[in-house]
Amino acid sequence: MIPEWVQDILTSKWTWAALALVVAYVLTLVGIVVYTWLERRGAAFIQRRPGPNRRGPYGIVQAVADAVKLATKEDVVPAGANKWLHAVAPMIGMTVALTIIAVIPFSGDFELFGQTFRLQIADMNFGFIFILAISSLAVYGVALGGWSSNNKYSLLGSLRSGAQMISYEISLGLSLVGVLLIYNTVKLDEMVIAQTGAIWHWGVVQAPMAFLIFLTSSYAEANRVPFDLVEADSELVAGFHTEYSSLRFGLFYMGEYVHMAVSAILTVILFFGGWHIPWAEEIFGSAPYVTLFPWLLFGAALVCLVIAWDTSRPRRRVHTRGNLLLAFLLVCVAGSAAALGGLYLAGDVQTEIPWLASICGMLTQVIVLVLKFAFFFWLFIWVRWTLPRFRYDQLMKLGWKVMLPLALLNIGVTGVLVLLGVL
Amino acid sequence: MAKLTIDGREIEAQDGQSVLQAALECGIHIPHLCYHPALKVVGSCRMCLIEIEKVPKLQVACGTPVRDGMVVSTQSERVRKARRGVLEFLSINHPLDCPVCDQAGECKLQDYCFEYGQAESRYQEDKRRFPEQDLGSTLVRDMNRCIHCTRCIRFLRDVAGAEAFTLYERGNRTQVGTYLETPVETPFSMNLVDACPVGALTSKHFRFKGRSWLMEKTRTLCAGCSRGCNVYAWSQKGRVLRLTPAENEWVNRFWLCDYGRLTVNDVNADDRLGDALRLGDCVDPEAALDQAAAKLKAYVDAGAGDKIGVVASARLTNEDNYLIRKLAREVLGTRHLAFVEGKEDDRPFEPSDRPLTEWFIREDKMPITWGARDIILSGEPAGDVLGLIAKARRGELKALLVFGEDLTRVTGEDRVVEVEFLFATGTHKTRTVELAHIAVPEATYLEKGGTFTNEEGRVQRLRPVVAPPGRARSAWQTARELAGRMGAGWSYRATAEVTAEIAAKVPGYQEVDFIEMPEEGQMVEHA
Amino acid sequence: MWEAIFFWGFGGLAAALAVLVIAMKNPIHSAVALIGNMFCLAALFALLDAHFLAAIQVLVYAGAIMVLFMFVIMLLNLKAEELGRSRRTLAKGLGLVLLAWVAVRFLAEFKGEALALPAVTEDYGTIESIGRLIFGPQILPFEVASVLLLAAILGAVTIAKKRLW
Amino acid sequence: MGVKQIHRPPQNAWERLYVFEIARGLGITLKHALLSWFKPGHMPTYEYPEVKRPLAERFRGRHRIRKREDGSPLCVACYCCQTVCPPQCIDITAEESDDPAVMKRPREFKINLLRCIFCGMCVEACPRDAIYMSHDYELADRTREQLQLGLDDLLENQDNDEGEG
C-alpha cells in the first residue's frame, strides 16, 4: 500500500497548489512567446510593414528564435557592479509578476466526480490586497537592477521608475477601493460572480472612472508607453536595464510581458465580467457555457480553416510558398473539432456524461476569458504604438494631481452611491 | 655681361648665352622640346618662340644670343598663339595614347599641350602609323610619337660617341632611327629615354612598370662603379623601379650608364636575404646576433681575439667600414682586418667633353675603394684579403667575419675557408652566406643611408630609398649590435653620428658634414 | 506537515535575514535583507491565518517604506572606503549580553509547554473583523496615529521647503 | 541667439480631457493595422531578398571592367583610376599586351572593396570608359580576401547589369 506520508502529500492542498502553480507558470512562459510575436507583428502592422514573417507560420517561431538568441548571448556583468544584486534584480521583477497569477480565477466553480473545483491556484479571502502587496514589490527589481549596474543612466532610470511605480500604485489601489465597495467583496472570484447577468453589472459600466484610473495606472505600473520613462532611450539609453544582457535582460523583458498579461487579465476580471458573457442565462438557458461549447468549437474550426486557406496560398510580394504542412494540420484539427462538436450536439451530454459537460463548461469560460484578455493585451500594444511618451513632470503631475484626486473623489462618490442604494 | 629684360624683369646674362639659357637660369620657364643643355642647339621644334622688341618676327629663344638692352616677352598673346600653333602642328601625327605611354606625366609635349593646346584638333586626316620597333636589349621605338626634335641623334653623335641614329625619309614621312634598323649598341643607350621629350623612345627595363606620378623620387648615388654618379631612384610600394641620372656637373653631368641603371635589378632580385641564416635555416636575426656575439666573446675572453679575421668591403658605405674597423680593432682586438677592393683605373677621372665611352665608366666596379682605404687603413699597414684567406687556410685564424662580400667571388673558387666560426652578412644568398655558420641579412645601397667617397675623393651622400627586405640592416648596424652584445658601450643611433665620428677621427675627413652636405658632395684628401 | 516545513523555513530565514541586516557592511545589502525579513514575517502571519495582516505587512513595510529607505541609500551611494570599519566593541558586547539575558528569560518562561492561546475563530484575520476592530473600539488610537503621521508629514514639508507658498 | 517661441494651438475642454483624443489616435493606428492585415500587398515595403528595390540609373555598385570583342579587358592599365582613387583601393600591375595595337594591358587589377567608398571617381577618370560601376550591391562575404576583387572578378557577369558608364 501507499505509505501514509505519501498519501498525506498527495491529498494535501499544498501539493495541488504547487502543481497548479507549475502548470500556470509554464503556460504563462509559453504565452510570452505569443505576446512578443503579437507585439512585434502588431507594431509592424500599425507601421505598415510585415514584421517578422519568415520563421514558422505568420512568423510565430521568430519569438522562439529571439529567446534562443537572448539565451546564447554573452552574459555581461559590468565592472564595479554589485554582482549579487545584479543577478537577483531581474528575478525579483519576474517573480513578482508571476506570483500574482496565483490568485486569478480562470473559471467559475465546476463539479467533477462530486467535488467542486475552480481554476484558481490560491483562493484567498483578500485577493486584491494580495495583488497590491505583491505588485508593490516590483519596484525592487527595477530599483536594485538600476543601482547594482554601477551606471548613472541605470540609476537614474531606476529612480524614475521607482518614483513612478510608487506614485501610480496609490491611484491604482484607490481606484480598486471603489470597485470593492460596489462588489462588496475582496475575493476576485466573488467579484466575477457579482458581474453575472446583464452587461450593466460589469464593473466598467458601474465604475467607469475607476476603470480609467485603473487602466492608466496599470500601464504606468507595467512601465509601458506612454509611461515608459524608465527606458526613455534618448535620455537614459535603456534605463535600468542598460547594463543587462543575455538571459538577465531576457528576464526583465519577459517580466514586462507577464506584468502586462497580469494587468490585462485583472482588467477583465475587475471590470469586464471575467469569464462571463452578458445575459448568458437569458439566452442560453440554465447552463449557458455548456450549451455554448459546441458553437465555440465550430467557430474554432472555422478559424482553423481560414488560417489553413491563408497559409496554403502563395503570397503576393512575399515570395515564399504557402505552408502546406501547417494548412494540413489545421484542416485536421478543424475537422476533428467539427466532429466533436457534432457529437456533442447530437447526444444529450449534460445528462449522459456530466463530467464531460462540466469540463466543456469550464473550457468555454476559459476561452471567453482568454478572448477578453487578448483584447486588453492587444490594447497595451495598440496604445504603445499610438501614444507618445510623457515628459517626467507631466507624468508626476498626472499621477499626483489628476489620478489621485480623481481616485479619492471616485471612492467618495461610489461610497455615497452605494449608501444610497443606487449601485 | 649683357643686361636684358625678360617679361619686365631685368636680368644679367653672360655673353654668348642664348636667351633660353639666360631665362632658365633666372627661373623663367620658356617652353622647349629640342633644347637640352648638354646638346648642340638646332632650334627645330619652334616651341621656344619669343617676341623681341624691335624684331618684327618671333625668334627661337634657344638660338638667339643675348644682347645688351634686349627686351623679351615670353608670355605675350602673340607668343602664346604661336606656341599653340606649333603644338597643333606637333600633334598632327602624335597619337592620343597617353594612357599607355610610359612618358605620360613627365612628357613635355603633354605638359605644354595641357598649358597651351586646344582640346580639339582641326586635323581631320589619318595620322601616320608605324609599328613599334625593337632597338636592341634596352630600347623600344614608337615612331608614331616622335616629334623630330633630334635630341637622340645629337646625344648619340655629340655626347655618347656612337653615331647610330639619323633622320631618314623626308617631309611628312621623316623617321628617326638606326641605319637599317640595327640595334643600338652603346653602354649609354638608356640615356636616349631621358633625352627623348616624348615617349618615342622607351626603356625595355622600365616599360609599363609604373607611372611617373605615382612613384617617389629620391636623390641618391649609384654604386655601380667608383664614379659615384648621382641618381634619382624612383620607387613605388617599397620597390625601386628605375634609376635616372641626377645632374652633377663634377661627377656625371646629365648621364648615367646602362650598367649603373640596371644595378637596380640586383636590389630587386629574388634571392635577397631577408632573415638570418644558420647553416641553411632561417632564424631570427636577433638570436643569430646573440649567438655570434657569444661565440666571438668566448674567443676574446680566451685571449684568442687576434685569431679572428675581419673582411670589410669597398661595396659598403664609409660608415659601415668605419664601424667594422672599430669592431675589429677595439672590440675584438685583432690585427687581421682586410677589405675587398676594386681594380685600379689610371685614366683621368674628370668629366670632359670627350665621348662618354672614353671616360665615363670606371674600371673600378667598387663604389668606395678609395674611401675604404682612407677609413680602414688610416695609415696602418694594408691588409690583403687573399692574404687573410691564406692565413685562415693555414689554420692561423679561428674565426672569420665577412661583411657584405661573397668570398667565392674574390677567390674564384666555390668554397669558403674552413674556420671554426664563419660569420657573414650578405645582401643575397651567396655561397659565403650559405656556408657561414651564422649569416645575417644586409641592406643594399638603395636601402641605407651613409656616405660614399668616390675615386676622385668626393664624399657624397647616399639616401635610403626603400626599406630593406625582411630584417636586413646596414653593416654598421650589424657591427654595432655585435659590439653591443659583446659589452662595448657604443651609442650610435643614426648614420649621422657615425659620419660625425669619421669626420673627427679619420684624417682628411674633417670637413665632411652628413646633414649639411651640398648636392655636389664634399672633397676630401686621400691620405 | 507542509505547514511545519513552511513555518521552520520562513522562521529560520527570517532570523537569518535579521542577523544579516545588522551584519552586512553594505547598507543596500542590509536593506535587501530587511525586505526579505519582512517578507518572511508576512509569510509567518499568513501561516497564522492573519492573511490581511500579512498582505499589509508586505504592502506597507516591504512595498512602501523600504523603497524610500532604499532610495535614500542609493542616492547617498556610499563607497566601500567611506563605509569604514565598525569598531564598536562595547556595543557589540552589550548586545550579546542582552541577547543572552532575553534567551534565558524566554527559556525560563517557555519550559517546553504549548502556550494556551484562544482558538481561531471563523472570521479571524479577515478584513471585515479587522475593520470592525479598527473603526469600532480602536477608533481613537487609530485616528491619533493618523494625526501623528499627518503632523510628521507637515513637519517634513516645513523643514524641506523654505517657502511654503 | 534669439529664442524661438513656439505657440501651440490652444486646447479646448474636449481635447484637454484627452480620453477621446486618445481614442481618436487609437482609431488611426487601428486603421493602419487593419489595412496592413487585410491588404498586405499595399505595404510600402519590399520583402528584400526575394523582391529587390528598383535602383536609380546612377546607382554605384560593385565595379566591373568592360571587355573587348575578343574578351580581353578594355582597360589599358593607365593607372588613372588608381591615381584618382581617394581611399587608394585600386592596385594595378601593367604588362605588355600580345596585341601590338593594344600595347599595354593590366596583369593584375585589384580593387579592395573593403576600402572602396564607391565614389565613382575611377569611372570619371577612365580614359577608355573601361571601368564602370554595376548595380550589384550585395557585397557581403565571409572573409576579407573574398572582397579583394581581381581582374577575373571584375570581368565576370558582364551582361548582368549595366551601370553608369
Side-chain angles (χ1 to χ4, degrees):
Chain A
M1 275 304 286
I2 308 165
E4 200 168 317
W5 62 273
V6 176
Q7 272 186 336
D8 268 3
I9 289 174
L10 281 177
T11 50
S12 163
K13 59 176 178 177
W14 297 104
T15 313
W16 292 107
L19 192 69
L21 264 181
V22 170
V23 172
Y25 287 0
V26 167
L27 284 178
T28 312
L29 293 175
V30 169
I32 289 171
V33 171
V34 183
Y35 304 155
T36 52
W37 173 80
L38 198 65
E39 167 103 49
R40 292 187 60 182
R41 291 226 73 177
F45 275 11
I46 286 172
Q47 295 162 358
R48 301 299 306 276
R49 59 188 172 86
N53 60 354
R54 298 298 169 117
R55 294 282 76 85
Y58 302 100
I60 193 155
V61 184
Q62 182 68 42
V64 180
D66 285 352
V68 171
K69 185 202 79 174
L70 262 186
T72 50
K73 279 203 161 187
E74 187 190 354
D75 190 4
V76 180
V77 181
N82 192 320
K83 286 194 184 61
W84 193 75
L85 289 178
H86 192 259
V88 165
M91 299 181 200
I92 296 176
M94 187 73 179
T95 311
V96 165
L98 281 174
T99 307
I100 297 176
I101 291 175
V103 293
I104 289 170
F106 288 91
S107 78
D109 292 341
F110 57 95
E111 297 245 330
L112 210 56
F113 310 121
Q115 275 186 300
T116 308
F117 289 94
R118 190 195 307 143
L119 284 191
Q120 185 181 19
I121 296 160
D123 178 18
M124 293 192 190
N125 59 12
F126 58 105
F128 97 91
I129 299 180
F130 176 81
I131 291 167
L132 287 183
I134 294 300
S135 62
S136 71
L137 292 178
V139 189
Y140 289 111
V142 173
L144 287 175
W147 178 79
S148 64
S149 297
N150 191 30
N151 177 326
K152 291 184 197 66
Y153 295 116
S154 298
L155 183 64
L156 283 173
S158 67
L159 286 177
R160 266 188 181 192
S161 69
Q164 172 186 334
M165 286 164 102
I166 293 173
S167 309
Y168 279 85
E169 208 168 278
I170 293 170
S171 45
L172 181 99
L174 291 178
S175 75
L176 286 182
V177 172
V179 184
L180 199 91
L181 288 173
I182 293 166
Y183 298 147
N184 199 19
T185 178
V186 286
K187 292 178 77 171
L188 290 170
D189 50 309
E190 287 176 10
M191 287 183 180
V192 177
I193 291 164
Q195 296 175 67
T196 321
I199 200 164
W200 50 80
H201 290 160
W202 279 12
V204 69
V205 183
Q206 300 211 341
M209 184 54 80
F211 165 67
L212 278 179
I213 295 169
F214 176 81
L215 197 70
T216 315
S217 303
S218 66
Y219 279 46
E221 281 278 286
N223 287 326
R224 286 286 291 194
V225 168
F227 306 106
D228 65 335
L229 289 115
V230 185
E231 42 184 309
D233 25 10
S234 51
E235 302 153 28
L236 296 173
V237 189
F240 66 92
H241 58 61
T242 303
E243 297 287 359
Y244 279 89
S245 56
S246 185
L247 263 188
R248 297 189 193 190
F249 171 74
L251 275 180
F252 272 130
Y253 188 75
M254 292 193 287
E256 184 184 321
Y257 281 100
V258 176
H259 213 121
M260 280 157 62
V262 166
S263 297
I265 211 160
L266 278 178
T267 315
V268 173
I269 283 172
L270 292 171
F271 296 100
F272 286 84
W275 57 81
H276 283 307
I277 301 168
W279 298 295
E281 274 82 1
E282 278 90 336
I283 299 169
F284 301 105
S286 58
Y289 300 103
V290 183
T291 320
L292 204 55
F293 189 68
W295 300 108
L296 271 180
L297 271 188
F298 280 127
L302 204 64
V303 169
C304 280
L305 281 173
V306 168
I307 292 176
W309 168 77
D310 192 43
T311 50
S312 61
R313 82 198 155 108
R315 309 193 68 86
R316 219 146 71 83
R317 267 199 203 227
V318 186
H319 284 217
T320 42
R321 283 194 299 114
N323 195 333
L324 286 172
L325 183 68
L326 181 84
F328 177 71
L329 281 175
L330 285 172
V331 168
C332 290
V333 170
S336 48
L340 198 68
L343 191 76
Y344 182 87
L345 278 177
D348 197 358
V349 176
Q350 281 189 65
T351 47
E352 297 292 320
I353 331 169
W355 61 270
L356 185 62
S358 54
I359 285 179
C360 288
M362 177 267 282
L363 281 178
T364 313
Q365 290 178 338
V366 171
I367 289 168
V368 169
L369 186 72
V370 164
L371 287 176
K372 287 179 182 176
F373 156 77
F375 173 78
F376 281 97
F377 194 86
W378 163 248
L379 189 65
F380 265 99
I381 294 161
W382 188 5
V383 165
R384 173 169 180 186
W385 300 106
T386 303
L387 297 185
R389 182 183 294 137
F390 272 84
R391 211 168 56 209
Y392 195 68
D393 62 316
Q394 294 169 333
L395 172 93
M396 280 293 149
K397 211 189 220 170
L398 182 73
W400 289 103
K401 292 190 175 170
V402 180
M403 290 293 165
L404 185 61
L406 276 181
L408 287 171
L409 189 71
N410 181 48
I411 293 175
V413 170
T414 314
V416 169
L417 288 177
V418 167
L419 274 181
L420 292 176
V422 176
L423 288 173
Chain B
M1 291 293 275
K3 279 192 176 176
L4 66 159
T5 314
I6 302 182
D7 291 344
R9 248 178 82 184
E10 294 257 336
I11 60 164
E12 283 189 8
Q14 271 148 19
D15 291 325
Q17 265 189 322
S18 67
V19 177
L20 181 59
Q21 279 171 325
L24 289 177
E25 245 171 48
C26 64
I28 297 169
H29 189 80
I30 299 174
H32 57 274
L33 291 166
C34 69
Y35 169 79
H36 187 285
L39 303 178
K40 284 182 184 153
V41 172
V42 290
S44 68
C45 71
R46 314 312 284 181
M47 207 43 222
C48 59
L49 288 174
I50 48 165
E51 190 174 6
I52 304 168
E53 253 180 39
K54 290 170 195 155
V55 180
K57 280 181 146 187
L58 299 181
Q59 301 293 313
V60 285
C62 63
T64 310
V66 293
R67 246 168 303 165
D68 215 22
M70 223 179 201
V71 180
V72 176
S73 168
T74 72
Q75 295 292 332
S76 71
E77 191 44 48
R78 197 170 155 213
V79 168
R80 293 182 71 90
K81 203 178 162 195
R83 284 180 193 153
R84 243 193 319 270
V86 168
L87 281 168
E88 197 174 353
F89 275 122
L90 288 175
S91 306
I92 279 179
N93 278 317
H94 194 87
L96 236 170
D97 64 350
C98 301
V100 293
C101 178
D102 270 342
Q103 192 77 10
E106 47 189 3
C107 174
K108 287 192 161 170
L109 185 64
Q110 195 183 31
D111 294 346
Y112 297 147
C113 280
F114 189 73
E115 196 178 345
Y116 297 101
Q118 50 195 63
E120 284 171 28
S121 173
R122 286 176 283 174
Y123 183 73
Q124 300 289 326
E125 289 73 18
D126 283 344
K127 298 190 176 195
R128 58 180 201 161
R129 298 178 76 123
F130 300 94
E132 281 194 335
Q133 187 195 347
D134 194 336
L135 285 182
S137 56
T138 52
L139 294 177
V140 175
R141 187 193 73 159
D142 185 338
M143 203 55 230
N144 298 336
R145 297 177 187 149
C146 181
I147 56 165
H148 310 100
C149 69
T150 68
R151 270 201 203 185
C152 47
I153 298 173
R154 282 175 285 149
F155 168 76
L156 283 174
R157 188 184 63 211
D158 302 339
V159 180
E163 205 149 327
F165 264 40
T166 189
L167 289 165
Y168 56 93
E169 300 223 35
R170 317 192 65 176
N172 185 29
R173 295 185 300 279
T174 310
Q175 293 189 47
V176 178
T178 51
Y179 299 112
L180 301 173
E181 304 195 346
T182 47
V184 181
E185 301 285 358
T186 161
F188 302 97
S189 62
M190 284 157 96
N191 285 311
L192 290 169
V193 179
D194 302 331
C196 184
V198 292
L201 291 166
T202 51
S203 151
K204 271 192 177 170
H205 172 249
F206 176 66
R207 198 170 156 82
F208 302 157
K209 288 263 179 65
R211 304 297 258 171
S212 61
W213 63 87
L214 290 174
M215 291 187 285
E216 260 181 84
K217 189 175 154 189
T218 315
R219 191 179 175 123
T220 180
L221 300 173
C222 170
C225 73
S226 60
R227 179 162 287 277
C229 297
N230 294 22
V231 296
Y232 287 117
W234 300 70
S235 62
Q236 193 184 343
K237 283 184 274 182
R239 232 176 127 80
V240 182
L241 297 179
R242 65 169 175 179
L243 299 179
T244 57
E247 192 184 329
N248 189 330
E249 184 60 29
W250 294 271
V251 182
N252 58 314
R253 295 203 165 162
F254 302 95
W255 320 115
L256 188 62
C257 68
D258 292 357
Y259 174 81
R261 286 177 199 252
L262 295 178
T263 50
V264 71
N265 285 343
D266 274 351
V267 177
N268 290 333
D270 290 333
D271 64 337
R272 285 294 305 278
L273 196 60
D275 256 319
L277 285 175
R278 203 179 78 218
L279 290 179
D281 296 335
C282 277
V283 290
D284 176 28
E286 301 299 321
L289 286 169
D290 284 344
Q291 290 178 0
K295 206 103 178 179
L296 293 174
K297 191 157 172 51
Y299 287 121
V300 174
D301 289 347
D306 197 33
K307 302 229 165 163
I308 303 171
V310 179
V311 178
S313 170
R315 233 178 262 288
L316 303 170
T317 62
N318 289 336
E319 286 72 17
D320 291 338
N321 279 334
Y322 179 78
L323 280 200
I324 291 167
R325 174 179 179 276
K326 194 168 173 181
L327 174 76
R329 296 273 192 257
E330 293 178 15
V331 181
L332 300 174
T334 176
R335 289 171 292 127
H336 302 297
L337 171 66
F339 68 95
V340 181
E341 57 184 2
K343 279 186 225 159
E344 293 280 339
D345 189 348
D346 45 13
R347 295 179 301 159
F349 181 88
E350 283 75 32
S352 68
D353 287 334
R354 285 175 293 124
L356 287 178
T357 37
E358 289 174 28
W359 60 270
F360 194 83
I361 303 172
R362 305 303 294 172
E363 284 290 300
D364 179 0
K365 290 298 177 194
M366 298 290 219
I368 59 155
T369 302
W370 286 91
R373 277 182 195 152
D374 292 342
I375 284 165
I376 291 191
L377 303 181
S378 294
E380 287 173 38
D384 176 15
V385 178
L386 289 170
L388 204 68
I389 293 171
K391 262 186 198 163
R393 294 235 165 103
R394 287 201 299 276
E396 287 174 29
L397 295 180
K398 291 199 165 171
L400 197 58
L401 273 57
V402 184
F403 286 93
E405 268 300 338
D406 182 9
L407 284 188
T408 57
R409 290 223 299 228
V410 179
T411 57
E413 301 167 33
D414 190 38
R415 67 194 181 102
V416 182
V417 274
E418 273 144 30
V419 284
E420 267 185 26
F421 178 59
L422 177 61
F423 174 87
T425 72
T427 53
H428 295 71
K429 283 178 187 140
T430 58
R431 279 303 281 163
T432 309
V433 163
E434 276 166 10
L435 292 171
H437 295 103
I438 289 175
V440 294
E442 162 96 31
T444 60
Y445 72 101
L446 288 175
E447 293 151 2
K448 62 184 176 186
T451 55
F452 277 177
T453 310
N454 75 354
E455 197 175 327
E456 187 192 13
R458 187 181 295 274
V459 179
Q460 299 186 98
R461 190 166 156 190
L462 190 69
R463 289 181 182 80
V465 181
V466 290
R471 285 176 282 190
R473 51 182 144 202
S474 302
W476 72 262
Q477 286 166 320
T478 306
R480 178 194 65 190
E481 293 301 314
L482 278 177
R485 282 166 165 78
M486 290 174 73
W490 295 3
S491 63
Y492 310 104
R493 291 186 308 274
T495 323
E497 291 175 29
V498 187
T499 319
E501 193 169 316
I502 291 175
K505 295 271 177 66
V506 178
Y509 279 70
Q510 297 87 342
E511 299 296 318
V512 173
D513 185 340
F514 187 77
I515 308 290
E516 300 290 322
M517 191 174 291
E519 273 200 347
E520 70 268 15
Q522 284 171 309
M523 294 299 288
V524 295
E525 290 295 320
H526 287 312
Chain C
M1 168 95 190
W2 282 109
E3 277 176 7
I5 291 171
F6 279 126
F7 173 75
W8 287 108
F10 279 115
L13 200 58
L17 286 168
V19 171
L20 282 181
V21 171
I22 48 171
M24 295 305 267
K25 212 162 95 177
N26 192 328
I28 283 278
H29 288 165
S30 294
V32 172
L34 190 54
I35 294 160
N37 176 275
M38 284 164 174
F39 197 79
C40 291
L41 282 182
L44 291 178
F45 282 138
L47 284 171
L48 289 171
D49 275 349
H51 294 139
F52 180 73
L53 196 57
I56 291 298
Q57 168 84 11
V58 174
L59 181 61
V60 174
Y61 284 99
I65 293 179
M66 284 315 294
V67 173
L68 299 178
F69 264 79
M70 202 131 89
F71 272 18
V72 172
I73 297 169
M74 278 179 186
L75 287 174
L76 287 175
N77 202 13
L78 294 172
K79 303 278 186 310
E81 58 266 28
E82 289 166 18
L83 291 168
R85 187 174 281 276
S86 159
R87 247 179 291 160
R88 295 193 192 141
T89 42
L90 179 69
K92 280 178 185 169
L94 206 61
L96 278 176
V97 169
L98 279 171
L99 182 71
W101 183 73
V102 167
V104 167
R105 288 289 305 161
F106 182 74
L107 287 174
E109 286 287 327
F110 192 56
K111 289 176 188 154
E113 288 169 24
L115 293 173
L117 295 171
V120 174
T121 52
E122 185 62 28
D123 63 344
Y124 178 79
T126 60
I127 296 174
E128 198 177 352
S129 61
I130 289 173
R132 284 190 193 288
L133 271 178
I134 286 180
F135 295 105
Q138 309 292 338
I139 184 75
L140 187 65
F142 180 75
E143 288 302 324
V144 166
S146 65
V147 168
L148 187 66
L149 283 174
L150 186 67
I153 292 169
L154 287 177
V157 171
T158 316
I159 291 167
K161 223 170 182 174
K162 296 228 168 67
R163 278 180 61 237
L164 277 176
W165 326 112
Chain D
M1 282 246 285
V3 177
K4 174 86 177 161
Q5 292 282 343
I6 295 173
H7 298 286
R8 297 180 190 281
Q11 294 174 318
N12 59 31
W14 178 264
E15 284 165 346
R16 284 170 64 83
L17 237 115
Y18 289 117
V19 178
F20 303 102
E21 290 297 300
I22 287 171
R24 205 156 66 89
L26 287 171
I28 291 168
T29 44
L30 185 66
K31 192 181 79 192
H32 285 285
L34 292 178
L35 267 175
S36 307
W37 193 358
F38 291 110
K39 293 196 169 178
H42 288 72
M43 284 184 196
T45 52
Y46 293 89
E47 296 273 327
Y48 164 59
E50 295 89 8
V51 186
K52 283 184 184 144
R53 213 187 159 80
L55 294 174
E57 186 84 350
R58 309 187 304 171
F59 183 86
R60 297 192 296 262
R62 202 193 93 153
H63 314 71
R64 300 209 187 281
I65 289 177
R66 290 202 175 85
K67 290 182 196 166
R68 293 170 201 276
E69 278 173 15
D70 63 348
S72 60
L74 191 57
C75 169
V76 292
C78 70
Y79 289 70
C80 282
C81 50
Q82 177 173 346
T83 307
V84 81
C85 181
Q88 300 183 2
C89 69
I90 304 180
D91 186 10
I92 304 171
T93 312
E95 70 176 355
E96 182 104 40
S97 171
D98 304 328
D99 182 355
V102 176
M103 289 174 73
K104 199 176 171 190
R105 71 178 179 203
R107 187 173 70 218
E108 286 174 12
F109 197 114
K110 290 190 250 175
I111 294 183
N112 185 348
L113 276 188
L114 294 170
R115 264 200 185 195
C116 180
I117 56 169
F118 298 91
C119 62
M121 300 266 269
C122 47
V123 180
E124 290 289 295
C126 187
R128 299 301 306 261
D129 280 350
I131 193 166
Y132 70 100
M133 297 186 92
S134 66
H135 281 181
D136 184 1
Y137 57 87
E138 287 166 321
L139 302 174
D141 225 319
R142 282 168 204 283
T143 61
R144 283 161 187 275
E145 286 70 30
Q146 281 169 301
L147 287 163
Q148 321 291 318
L149 299 184
L151 192 53
D152 296 339
D153 304 314
L154 290 166
L155 288 172
E156 71 183 10
N157 291 335
Q158 286 288 329
D159 310 322
N160 239 12
D161 43 28
E162 277 287 308
E164 188 187 359

